[in-house]
Amino acid sequence: MKERVNRIVFMVMGEPLFNYDNLIKSIHILRDRNGLNFPTDGINVSTVGPVEQLKRLREEHLKIQFTLSLHATDQATRNMIMPHMKSNSIHSVVGAAIYYSERHNRKITIAYLLAPGINDRASDVRQLGKWFRGKNVLINLLQYNETACKRIKRPNKQQLVAFKIRLEEAGLEVKLRESRGNRIKAACGQLVSDYNKGNDAPTSDSPEKMSPVIHKLSDNKADTTRGIRKEKRHPFAKHKAKRKRKKN
């Protein structure tokens, strides 16, 4: 790469800790003194918190940055937001994250995507304070980007600031993270949500309920690109065309 890179983040889509051995191997390669000699402080692993893998990670001798995507303070709410984490107790996830911080004497980041009416209650503020007050923790408050899902609303700036103040009053260190990519629907999850609109979007992991486009990807690799373009233009197509015209 021509540009100097000073930060590398392992994050979704695709939970990094579910590919644990390759994750750790790649970090060792990046920081090898005979290779890139990349500073460990510049490597961040962002995770939804599978407990068994968190326990393994805390025993690694790696001084990496660590971010936990939490987004809820009770099991029922987290199950609704992150259904594939149902088997992991939210209290165990938080406990493992705090233990990681204490074991390595590092500040960790808790990512909290604000969803008005869902995870911004007084009880949420109390629980976050109970967990993280006095700990070496930064709460990273994120703004939800709209998708086809109407159940979750995008908070406005006033709602974000108000919730930040409530958390600070509860004794927490909080930072608002600037939202990017919403204009071109490139924020996390938006591209696939927009693309699946109009197709029989998958509602579970079963192959029978996957969309026709996804079946085409697996059944006919030679026609993959052509098949997708016939079904629907790529979400970036218009944006890319505009950029080309500007350059010309």
Side-chain angles (χ1 to χ4, degrees):
M1 296 181 69
K2 295 178 182 177
E3 297 155 0
R4 184 176 178 272
V5 176
N6 57 18
R7 192 175 180 210
I8 295 172
V9 182
F10 293 91
M11 66 186 301
V12 296
M13 295 174 105
E15 165 57 43
L17 294 187
F18 286 158
N19 192 20
Y20 190 87
D21 291 338
N22 285 322
L23 170 70
I24 300 304
K25 181 181 178 181
S26 66
I27 292 172
H28 280 295
I29 291 171
L30 287 166
R31 62 197 290 266
D32 194 296
R33 291 178 182 176
N34 295 317
L36 288 178
N37 194 23
F38 198 88
T40 312
D41 276 352
I43 299 174
N44 190 322
V45 172
S46 180
T47 175
V48 294
V51 175
E52 292 307 312
Q53 287 88 340
L54 282 181
K55 289 177 181 178
R56 289 179 66 188
L57 184 66
R58 76 188 181 204
E59 301 306 319
E60 300 283 351
H61 296 288
L62 295 170
K63 293 187 177 181
I64 54 175
Q65 304 294 339
F66 176 89
T67 298
L68 171 67
S69 292
L70 186 60
H71 311 318
T73 64
D74 63 88
Q75 194 68 47
T77 304
R78 198 168 200 248
N79 288 350
M80 185 272 287
I81 297 173
M82 309 167 77
H84 292 295
M85 290 300 291
K86 286 182 180 179
S87 60
N88 291 263
S89 159
I90 189 170
H91 294 283
S92 298
V93 170
V94 170
I98 292 173
Y99 188 23
Y100 177 90
S101 171
E102 294 170 345
R103 171 92 163 77
H104 295 279
N105 192 27
R106 298 188 71 78
K107 176 174 283 189
I108 63 170
T109 298
I110 302 297
Y112 199 85
L113 185 75
L114 191 64
I118 295 175
N119 63 2
D120 63 345
R121 303 158 296 181
S123 60
D124 295 312
V125 175
R126 285 195 300 271
Q127 186 61 61
L128 289 169
K130 184 178 178 181
W131 277 333
F132 303 121
R133 187 186 302 112
K135 304 293 184 182
N136 200 8
V137 169
L138 169 70
I139 306 293
N140 207 343
L141 198 56
L142 315 176
Q143 186 176 27
Y144 175 73
N145 291 288
E146 302 97 335
T147 67
C149 174
K150 301 301 180 187
R151 186 174 180 184
I152 303 178
K153 305 293 183 184
R154 177 181 171 88
N156 58 39
K157 194 66 179 283
Q158 289 78 9
Q159 288 171 311
L160 281 167
V161 172
F163 192 70
K164 177 178 183 287
I165 292 171
R166 289 164 64 195
L167 292 178
E168 288 173 337
E169 289 173 347
L172 301 172
E173 181 183 352
V174 188
K175 182 179 180 181
L176 290 179
R177 193 164 88 187
E178 184 182 353
S179 179
R180 296 180 183 273
N182 192 47
R183 185 178 59 82
I184 57 173
K185 297 189 177 180
C188 196
Q190 285 186 305
L191 284 176
V192 69
S193 176
D194 185 61
Y195 186 78
N196 283 333
K197 226 183 287 180
N199 298 320
D200 296 325
T203 55
S204 76
D205 290 332
S206 66
E208 293 80 16
K209 294 188 178 181
M210 294 173 74
S211 72
V213 174
I214 296 175
H215 277 306
K216 188 166 186 113
L217 284 171
S218 58
D219 294 339
N220 192 350
K221 292 182 181 179
D223 293 328
T224 292
T225 306
R226 192 181 302 127
I228 290 177
R229 285 176 181 166
K230 282 181 181 178
E231 289 284 339
K232 185 172 180 179
R233 289 186 71 196
H234 191 283
F236 274 148
K238 188 177 178 182
H239 180 66
K240 288 168 74 176
K242 283 183 180 177
R243 289 181 62 184
K244 282 183 180 178
R245 283 199 294 269
K246 283 182 181 178
K247 285 181 180 180
N248 292 337

